[in-house]
């Protein structure tokens, strides 16, 4: 993910998508032309035999045909101050398994929209510097602040991404979209550990 987000031009968003239903599943990428070329180079470094083809508008997994219905759910970590951990070997596999259980023509879509994040690293550096700069007489408090500063510095040494994860269901049947989207969102949430759980943050027309 970091290699993809930091592919040039770095400030731009790109969207990686897993989609499908019981009849067909697939992966897709949305980005500007320049960003797409950079991201595809990273893909080809991993899978040299990968093939690409031009896609029509109707091939767009987020395309909503006239008269169809859509329900989306946005998920993310409960806290932005702590890292998340996975509880399964491959979170994407759980999502694809859930997608494969959705009866056609309804289809589901997981969008991971990301870009590089330089602001968070800067903020963590400022937090660490502030902790170390304060004059504290109590040895125990000083030790605790030094320990917290080191933890923040360790976290700040990595690369960061701004990420939005959105789960959607698209169907000609209005009674199917909400249940399918929420079930897929819950499956994704369950792929991550309890220390900083991934939860539903927002959804369209919540009941």
């Amino acid at each position: 993910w970091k290699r993809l987000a930091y592919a040039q031009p770095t400030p731009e968003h790109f969207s990686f998508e897993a989609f499908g239903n019981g009849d067909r599943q697939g992966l897709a990428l949305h980005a500007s032309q320049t960003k797409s070329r950079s991201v595809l180079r990273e893909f080809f470094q991993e899978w040299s035999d990968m093939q690409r083809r031009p896609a029509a508008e109707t091939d767009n997994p987020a395309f909503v045909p006239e008269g169809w219905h859509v329900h989306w759910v946005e998920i993310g970590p409960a806290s932005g101050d702590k890292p998340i951990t996975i509880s399964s070997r491959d979170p994407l596999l759980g999502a694809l398994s859930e997608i494969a259980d959705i009866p056609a023509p309804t289809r589901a879509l997981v969008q991971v929209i990301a870009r590089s994040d330089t602001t968070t690293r800067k903020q963590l550096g400022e937090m660490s510097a502030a902790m170390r700069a304060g004059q504290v007489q109590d040895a125990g408090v000083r030790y605790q602040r030094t320990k917290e500063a080191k933890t923040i510095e360790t976290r700040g040494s990595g690369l960061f991404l701004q990420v939005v994860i959105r789960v959607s269901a698209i169907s000609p049947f209005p009674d199917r979209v909400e249940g399918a989207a929420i079930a897929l969102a819950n499956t994704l949430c369950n792929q991550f550990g309890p220390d900083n759980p991934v939860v539903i943050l927002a959804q369209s027309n919540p009941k």
Side-chain angles (χ1 to χ4, degrees), residues 64-185:
V64 181
E66 185 176 355
W68 284 41
H69 307 270
V70 61
H71 188 88
W72 59 264
V73 180
E74 189 174 306
I75 64 173
S79 170
D81 296 329
K82 297 190 296 183
I84 59 174
T85 58
I86 60 173
S87 59
S88 65
R89 188 177 67 177
D90 187 349
L92 183 59
L93 182 60
L96 288 172
S97 297
E98 181 74 27
I99 288 172
D101 285 337
I102 294 174
T106 301
R107 70 177 182 275
L109 167 69
V110 177
Q111 292 178 298
V112 182
I113 306 166
R115 72 171 179 177
S116 59
D117 176 11
T118 56
T119 303
T120 298
R121 177 187 282 185
K122 180 181 177 182
Q123 290 174 340
L124 290 173
E126 292 171 349
M127 288 172 58
S128 174
M131 284 184 176
R132 291 185 178 276
Q135 297 295 322
V136 179
Q137 299 299 324
D138 186 277
V141 174
R142 187 166 59 249
Y143 169 79
Q144 185 63 31
R145 285 196 177 180
T146 301
K147 182 179 178 181
E148 291 175 357
K150 287 182 178 179
T151 300
I152 292 173
E153 288 166 359
T154 299
R155 187 179 174 212
S157 64
L159 298 177
F160 291 86
L161 306 178
Q162 293 177 357
V163 177
V164 174
I165 301 178
R166 184 165 293 167
V167 177
S168 305
I170 302 167
S171 177
F173 308 111
D175 57 331
R176 293 186 183 179
V177 288
E178 183 175 358
I182 292 176
L184 180 54

Side-chain angles (χ1 to χ4, degrees), residues 12 31-38:
E12 290 189 8
S32 70
Q33 189 174 38
T34 303
K35 184 75 170 181
S36 294
R37 284 197 295 266
S38 297

